[in-house]
Amino acid sequence: MNIDLNLIFPEIFLSLSIMSLLMIGVFKKNSSNLIFNLSILTLFILAALILNLSSVNKILIFNNSYVIDDVANFMKILTAISAIFVLSISTDFLKSLKIYQIEYPILILCSILGMMVMISSNDLIVFYIGLELQSLALYVLAAFNRDNVLSSESGLKYFVLSALSSGLLLYGCSLIYGFTGSTNFNEIANNTNQVPYGLTFGIVFILVGLAFKISAVPFHMWAPDVYQGSPTSVTLFFALVPKIAATCVFIRFLYVPFVNMIEQWQMIIIFISIASMIFGAIAAIGQKNLKRLIAYSSIGHMGYSLAGIATGSSEGAQSTIIYITIYVIMNLALFCCLFMLKRNNEYFENIEDLSGLSKNHPILSLSLLIILFSLAGIPPLAGFFAKFYIFMAVIEQSMFFLAIIGLLSTVVAAFYYLRIIKIIYFDPSKEKYDSNHSLGLRISLIVSTIFLVFYFTYPNSLLGIISKINII
Amino acid sequence: MNIPILSSLIFLPTIGAIFIFFSRSKNEKYNSSKYVALFITIANFFLSIYLWLIFDQSTSDFQFVETREWIPGFINYKVGVDGISILFIILTTFITPICVVSVNKTIKSRLKDFLISILLLETLMIGVFCSLDLVIFYLFFEGGLIPMFLIIGIWGGERRVYSAFKFFLFTLLGSVLMLVAIISIYWLTGTTDVVKLYEIGIDAKYQNLLWLAFFSSFAVKTPMWPVHTWLPDAHVEAPTAGSVILAAILLKMAGYGFLRFSIGLFPIGSEYFVPLVYILSLIAIIYTSLVALMQEDMKKLIAYSSVAHMGFVTLGIFTLTQQGLEGSIFQMISHGLVSAALFLCVGVVYERMHTRLIKDYGGLVSIMPKYAIVFMIFALGSLSLPGTSGFIGEFLILMGAFKKNFLVATVASVGVILGAAYILWLYKRVIFGKIKNQEVTKMLDLNKHEILILWSLAVPIIFFGFYPEPLINTMEVSINNLIDMYNSNLSNNIVMSK
């Protein structure tokens, strides 16, 4: 038991910090700044603690209901680091919207705690607890700018649809439990040698629920509205961090309890993947709002990351992890640019507002150029390698249909990324934007852009770490 | 030799681009950046000439090979040259400084960004011709889209956005299938190293599909009929320097790809699809020549003539005879010089009159005699008059074609006549005749700058027309080896299938 507690020390540390931060926030007046900085510090320590655990090879604790392994550690560190970036680049934005409050970082920490439980769960009940913990915090975050109608609407919308998907997920869990007699992932795997219909239904419900969480087609309807309505900093959080956890859970579910039922879920995942890739590419073309466009593009990107899992191979899962990592970095950089479109304390989020940006803001537009080409997957930028690894895994399994559809939809998707580049570079310029951005914002943009450009010089930096990860 | 000469060739322009990126200038003209770019590109040219001098012409092996681990156990950064690729490298390093010089007047805004794009493009183009690994090749091949998209889109003419999009999406669409093929080759053979693949060979039953996937990419880039429609648009809208690079080098990447990959890796697929290539090439030669006849825009006419000339190139490559291959390479080099020169010629009068329509000109001979002379040389080069480099190329291609298929060769010969027709008619309408447009009388003849650029292109065209030996000698051994490898692969396969 003692060992078990040591292994979940990061989670314990995080919960204690959340409580103490809440106390400080309540009893100390005007402590927003302090809480923000302390939260970032907490996340740094959290990342360090998990890194410290990474020497541990796969261990199951608490009656095999909680797992500490390489995948979990990598995903947790990624979550923590992206949350650090999210917090540090959104302060300016929150201040100008006058919602720079203590609850914001604390809610983010709460949902991170939920994600960590999700990532490490090896049991249906533990998984569900983690999922709900992160979702509840996210509902509040979506409606955080409560004086704004759009924000309240998106909070409500997200709550209703997400609750529905949680319900489906729970129903799936109960079916699985009913037909296998266990909630533990490993035992489920052992009891699935023959597949009754009920079990298949259970898998379908669980996959539907998870597809909701990562906004894959056909369960994507909430994403554009919620992305557009929520405050941009929350959209940033939505677009990145929950997807890391949800992808990890996807991998966990398909590779541990359902590993013997690949015939049952492979077709579903392939369908979701293809539908997301095509829909994301086509629906984004007509968008005028950048946040909406990011929503559709992230639907497409989720399609690619699912294509990796759809192979059912270890390489496939690794390629998905690489994809999601590079995706997070690309979107982080994109949101940094979005935060820089500020004039007189007003933020701009329409594509038209980028018109002729390159005249007045050469560096910002160069970064956008790199980010957008990278999102489109043009070599030699990092986004190309993300797709490259995915298609390596897909073609290894001779799934040519999926590969060709995927690559063709990158061409369609390239169109709308090019359209933004066209507006930035080819169109007449507008008024200047402010250039007094915070240091955190600038550093984040520069670091992530440099990563995207120079990833090709040393691709092993990421691949080396991830190829050591043992999925199963 | 421990100096990585090829890597320095590839990455020297990038270093120049980074230098220009960080340099600041007090005024908006960025004159100093231009000298930096010029210095870098000329240095690169001399480096490539030095490479040619120390190049061993007696062996078909890849020389100056550099291998570095890139993704361990998977892909190596591997570059090297043989007798075929070295010629394209020299063409690239020769054309790029000319482009840099020619930006003098044509690029009015954001000169610095333009120079950076050109230099990055040079890196990518040389990389394409050097790379000996399929993935590395793909990186360079596709990476070229980004700077070219910007060159057309930012500095282009009125319909630049449409053309830039069309260029980008057409090429990308062609290339993604090649990516699928490259990954499939990796899983079939366990390597993407071209030299190893030459030794191992690829299983015959996959070759047709893989050949088609590569073909889809190269056919768009060449461009072959019916996917050539992006080229006239891109040429017309691109700034002069962009057109020059596009016509002179980017199109050759596809021809080079056919030689290096389609024929080298998939002999059985190539053999199977020879009739398809013949038909598409003949359509390109005849049909686009006829289209070129009817053009009213000078740049568009030259763009269509490029399609026709590249039709000769693909025809020559897939005759799979020594003459055909040598002729194709010669034709590519020659077309690189001639089309670059023709676009520069159009650029010269466009700067003065701001129109590219043929009907706005006429009677230039009395106003701009020096211009009329150089234009004549290039027009003759384009119609491949004996004594110009174009003649050697087309003559060899037709010789190869007659060896293989009499009918195809006869039809292709008609294309030569049509080629003479459109270019001479263009020349007649622009240079001779009465002066209809009074604006023409105000035009100035070539300045020193333009004389330098145009004559530096005219000299090699005439020189190689009379003395093709240096080029032929360089490529001969490699081509013989390529054909031997092709034939032995083919006969092995016939033996195996029996």
Side-chain angles (χ1 to χ4, degrees):
Chain A
M1 202 60 191
N2 203 6
I3 300 168
D4 293 5
L5 285 180
N6 273 342
L7 287 170
I8 61 158
F9 186 63
E11 281 87 343
I12 295 172
F13 168 75
L14 184 58
S15 2
L16 289 178
S17 331
I18 292 171
M19 288 175 210
S20 40
L21 283 174
L22 203 56
M23 287 300 158
I24 299 172
V26 170
F27 289 111
K28 194 171 177 309
K29 286 258 154 58
N30 298 330
S31 53
S32 313
N33 235 333
L34 180 69
I35 300 285
F36 257 85
N37 294 335
L38 282 179
S39 314
I40 293 175
L41 184 67
T42 307
L43 287 166
F44 264 116
I45 297 173
L46 182 69
L49 287 175
I50 301 165
L51 198 64
N52 191 31
L53 272 182
S54 59
S55 55
V56 178
N57 234 336
K58 184 169 174 141
I59 289 186
L60 294 168
I61 49 178
F62 298 126
N63 289 329
N64 301 342
S65 65
Y66 205 78
V67 60
I68 309 284
D69 61 358
D70 295 340
V71 187
N73 285 333
F74 182 82
M75 290 305 224
K76 282 177 186 170
I77 292 174
L78 188 62
T79 311
I81 291 176
S82 39
I84 292 170
F85 277 107
V86 168
L87 281 180
S88 57
I89 68 181
S90 53
T91 47
D92 270 5
F93 178 82
L94 293 168
K95 277 177 194 159
S96 73
L97 247 63
K98 303 205 170 59
I99 46 171
Y100 189 61
Q101 292 160 354
I102 54 151
E103 291 87 349
Y104 187 84
I106 292 175
L107 282 169
I108 285 190
L109 289 185
C110 280
S111 79
I112 300 273
L113 180 62
M115 287 167 201
M116 292 179 57
V117 175
M118 261 168 90
I119 290 172
S120 270
S121 61
N122 198 39
D123 188 286
L124 291 173
I125 294 172
V126 176
F127 156 70
Y128 193 75
I129 291 171
L131 182 78
E132 283 307 287
L133 181 54
Q134 68 117 23
S135 301
L136 280 172
L138 290 179
Y139 303 147
V140 185
L141 276 174
F144 200 75
N145 190 8
R146 61 176 189 272
D147 297 334
N148 184 322
V149 182
L150 274 179
S151 175
S152 314
E153 184 203 326
S154 72
L156 189 64
K157 206 173 255 175
Y158 184 57
F159 171 68
V160 171
L161 289 172
S162 193
L164 178 72
S165 80
S166 296
L168 290 175
L169 211 100
L170 203 53
Y171 187 49
C173 292
S174 65
L175 278 173
I176 301 273
Y177 173 66
F179 280 93
T180 58
S182 172
T183 56
N184 184 285
F185 285 0
N186 300 79
E187 281 176 38
I188 293 173
N190 293 336
N191 296 343
T192 50
N193 295 328
Q194 81 244 31
V195 186
Y197 275 124
L199 201 55
T200 316
F201 276 107
I203 294 175
V204 171
F205 279 122
I206 285 183
L207 291 184
V208 167
L210 288 176
F212 245 106
K213 303 291 175 199
I214 64 165
S215 72
V217 176
F219 311 106
H220 61 277
M221 295 79 78
W222 61 273
D225 293 343
V226 174
Y227 277 42
Q228 190 184 4
S230 316
T232 311
S233 59
V234 178
T235 311
L236 163 64
F237 189 72
F238 272 160
L240 308 181
V241 189
K243 300 218 158 134
I244 305 171
T247 315
C248 182
V249 171
F250 240 115
I251 296 174
R252 185 83 72 193
F253 261 103
L254 299 179
Y255 283 71
V256 183
F258 304 153
V259 68
N260 299 326
M261 293 185 282
I262 186 162
E263 303 89 42
Q264 313 292 325
W265 56 259
Q266 194 170 32
M267 280 310 294
I268 302 174
I269 300 286
I270 290 176
F271 170 76
I272 295 178
S273 160
I274 288 181
S276 305
M277 291 189 291
I278 295 177
F279 180 83
I282 292 172
I285 290 173
Q287 300 307 320
K288 294 194 175 69
N289 182 295
L290 268 173
K291 278 154 80 180
R292 255 187 122 72
L293 184 123
I294 292 172
Y296 283 109
S297 101
S298 80
I299 291 172
H301 284 291
M302 284 305 121
Y304 292 101
S305 73
L306 283 181
I309 313 178
T311 57
S313 65
S314 182
E315 286 81 14
Q318 285 168 359
S319 72
T320 299
I321 297 175
I322 296 177
Y323 196 91
I324 204 84
T325 313
I326 293 178
Y327 163 84
V328 164
I329 295 165
M330 290 192 294
N331 270 25
L332 200 64
L334 189 56
F335 273 95
C336 288
C337 297
L338 210 54
F339 282 127
M340 288 187 172
L341 299 180
K342 184 176 83 164
R343 197 189 294 137
N344 302 330
N345 261 352
E346 192 190 344
Y347 283 87
F348 292 83
E349 51 189 47
N350 282 329
I351 297 180
E352 286 306 316
D353 297 327
L354 290 169
S355 175
L357 193 70
S358 63
K359 288 261 165 55
N360 295 327
H361 303 273
I363 303 290
L364 175 59
S365 17
L366 182 68
S367 328
L368 264 171
L369 177 86
I370 291 163
I371 295 159
L372 290 167
F373 273 123
S374 175
L375 282 163
I378 307 296
L381 303 170
F384 167 74
F385 289 93
K387 293 208 166 75
F388 182 70
Y389 296 132
I390 290 279
F391 290 116
M392 282 294 290
V394 169
I395 293 176
E396 190 198 9
Q397 302 296 318
S398 301
M399 297 154 87
F400 292 104
F401 182 68
L402 181 59
I404 289 173
I405 296 276
L407 282 165
L408 291 182
S409 57
T410 62
V411 179
V412 180
F415 177 77
Y416 65 79
Y417 294 121
L418 287 184
R419 211 186 89 207
I420 307 177
I421 293 168
K422 172 220 142 198
I423 287 166
I424 296 171
Y425 272 89
F426 309 168
D427 282 5
S429 63
K430 289 190 169 174
E431 269 181 76
K432 263 191 160 181
Y433 291 99
D434 294 350
S435 51
N436 53 336
H437 309 296
S438 70
L439 193 64
L441 190 56
R442 285 183 195 193
I443 290 177
S444 309
L445 179 62
I446 291 171
V447 167
S448 46
T449 312
I450 285 179
F451 173 86
L452 296 181
V453 176
F454 290 101
Y455 177 73
F456 79 94
T457 53
Y458 190 58
N460 210 27
S461 54
L462 203 55
L463 196 65
I465 301 169
I466 291 171
S467 61
K468 284 193 202 102
I469 290 180
N470 199 357
I471 303 294
I472 303 156
Chain B
M1 280 290 294
N2 290 322
I3 308 160
I5 185 163
L6 282 179
S7 288
S8 7
L9 253 181
I10 297 174
F11 292 109
L12 191 63
T14 310
I15 294 167
I18 294 170
F19 186 80
I20 292 178
F21 180 74
F22 283 110
S23 67
R24 281 162 190 260
S25 173
K26 277 177 190 158
N27 57 359
E28 284 290 297
K29 285 181 179 166
Y30 294 107
N31 279 325
S32 47
S33 321
K34 205 168 63 195
Y35 291 115
V36 173
L38 194 62
F39 172 75
I40 292 277
T41 48
I42 288 180
N44 223 21
F45 174 62
F46 283 118
L47 194 59
S48 66
I49 291 289
Y50 171 71
L51 186 75
W52 196 17
L53 290 177
I54 58 172
F55 178 80
D56 181 2
Q57 298 186 345
S58 59
T59 168
S60 66
D61 289 343
F62 288 98
Q63 302 178 32
F64 314 107
V65 176
E66 295 166 31
T67 314
R68 266 192 213 100
E69 201 169 53
W70 190 53
I71 303 179
F74 173 27
I75 301 166
N76 288 326
Y77 166 81
K78 187 170 183 183
V79 291
V81 287
D82 68 350
I84 300 170
S85 45
I86 191 166
L87 296 176
F88 291 102
I89 292 170
I90 292 165
L91 180 70
T92 312
T93 54
F94 177 66
I95 294 290
T96 321
I98 289 178
C99 285
V100 174
V101 178
S102 80
V103 300
N104 210 14
K105 280 180 184 166
T106 49
I107 304 302
K108 296 235 161 47
S109 62
R110 300 160 83 174
L111 181 66
K112 198 171 127 173
D113 302 348
F114 188 81
L115 293 170
I116 293 173
S117 304
I118 293 266
L119 287 174
L120 287 180
L121 200 54
E122 187 181 13
T123 288
L124 295 164
M125 291 183 301
I126 298 175
V128 163
F129 295 127
C130 290
S131 45
L132 288 182
D133 186 287
L134 289 171
V135 178
I136 305 287
F137 170 79
Y138 187 82
L139 287 183
F140 284 124
F141 192 78
E142 282 289 279
L145 289 182
I146 301 176
M148 201 59 211
F149 175 77
L150 296 176
I151 287 175
I152 299 174
I154 299 180
W155 295 279
E158 280 161 24
R159 290 172 70 236
R160 58 181 198 265
V161 174
Y162 170 78
S163 313
F165 271 60
K166 201 170 177 184
F167 162 76
F168 193 97
L169 294 176
F170 260 66
T171 327
L172 186 63
L173 187 64
S175 309
V176 290
L177 290 177
M178 183 163 79
L179 183 62
V180 176
I182 290 174
I183 298 174
S184 309
I185 289 175
Y186 177 75
W187 290 119
L188 283 176
T189 60
T191 180
T192 51
D193 183 332
V194 176
V195 182
K196 271 188 206 156
L197 283 171
Y198 279 164
E199 287 162 18
I200 306 170
I202 290 167
D203 198 341
K205 63 185 172 201
Y206 301 114
Q207 282 202 8
N208 286 354
L209 277 176
L210 292 175
W211 188 91
L212 275 179
F214 273 77
F215 179 75
S216 75
S217 171
F218 296 146
V220 172
K221 201 95 178 181
T222 313
M224 295 179 84
W225 185 87
V227 281
H228 65 281
T229 56
W230 63 268
L231 184 76
D233 286 315
H235 268 322
V236 170
E237 299 306 329
T240 306
S243 299
V244 169
I245 289 216
L246 191 58
I249 309 161
L250 287 189
L251 305 188
K252 309 301 176 288
M253 290 176 4
Y256 173 77
F258 276 129
L259 287 167
R260 174 75 72 233
F261 304 112
S262 295
I263 292 182
L265 295 179
F266 321 120
I268 297 155
S270 304
E271 188 71 17
Y272 184 80
F273 285 108
V274 159
L276 173 74
V277 180
Y278 278 173
I279 291 168
L280 293 183
S281 306
L282 288 181
I283 294 175
I285 293 169
I286 304 291
Y287 169 74
T288 49
S289 298
L290 290 173
V291 175
L293 268 174
M294 298 318 298
Q295 293 306 314
E296 288 167 355
D297 183 316
M298 291 200 268
K299 260 187 156 179
K300 227 170 188 164
L301 189 146
I302 299 167
Y304 277 108
S305 86
S306 286
V307 181
H309 283 293
M310 291 310 283
F312 274 106
V313 170
T314 45
L315 179 69
I317 291 173
F318 282 89
T319 58
L320 296 160
T321 55
Q322 196 194 344
Q323 291 84 353
L325 287 179
E326 278 178 4
S328 299
I329 295 170
F330 213 96
Q331 171 80 342
M332 281 196 265
I333 304 288
S334 151
H335 177 252
L337 300 170
V338 171
S339 64
L342 285 173
F343 279 117
L344 286 167
C345 280
V346 176
V348 166
V349 288
Y350 180 76
E351 269 166 41
R352 291 163 169 73
M353 293 275 290
H354 297 284
T355 171
R356 287 184 301 257
L357 295 181
I358 299 171
K359 67 172 168 29
D360 290 340
Y361 295 95
L364 287 189
V365 66
S366 51
I367 315 279
M368 306 172 70
K370 290 179 200 161
Y371 177 73
I373 294 172
V374 278
F375 197 4
M376 173 58 97
I377 294 172
F378 300 133
L380 294 179
S382 173
L383 66 83
S384 48
L385 186 85
T388 63
S389 56
F391 171 73
I392 315 262
E394 262 174 32
F395 182 72
L396 285 170
I397 290 171
L398 288 176
M399 252 169 64
F402 270 112
K403 236 180 179 176
K404 276 283 164 97
N405 191 323
F406 185 77
L407 183 67
V408 169
T410 321
V411 179
S413 313
V414 178
V416 180
I417 301 168
L418 287 173
Y422 60 70
I423 203 80
L424 286 179
W425 197 29
L426 168 76
Y427 190 79
K428 186 215 138 204
R429 284 181 291 172
V430 172
I431 302 290
F432 297 134
K434 278 184 201 153
I435 299 174
K436 285 167 283 181
N437 187 344
Q438 283 310 309
E439 293 289 311
V440 170
T441 50
K442 291 178 199 154
M443 287 168 77
L444 297 172
D445 207 349
L446 299 180
N447 57 29
K448 279 179 191 166
H449 215 78
E450 290 155 344
I451 290 176
L452 174 74
I453 301 177
L454 291 174
W455 277 101
S456 61
L457 282 162
V459 169
I461 291 174
I462 299 172
F463 176 78
F464 290 123
F466 282 103
Y467 187 62
E469 289 295 304
L471 298 187
I472 300 280
N473 283 346
T474 308
M475 61 178 137
E476 194 162 25
V477 183
S478 296
I479 286 185
N480 282 339
N481 177 50
L482 189 64
I483 291 178
D484 288 346
M485 200 168 68
Y486 178 84
N487 288 332
S488 68
N489 268 333
L490 221 54
S491 53
N492 280 348
N493 188 61
I494 291 165
V495 172
M496 271 162 64
S497 59
K498 273 173 187 170

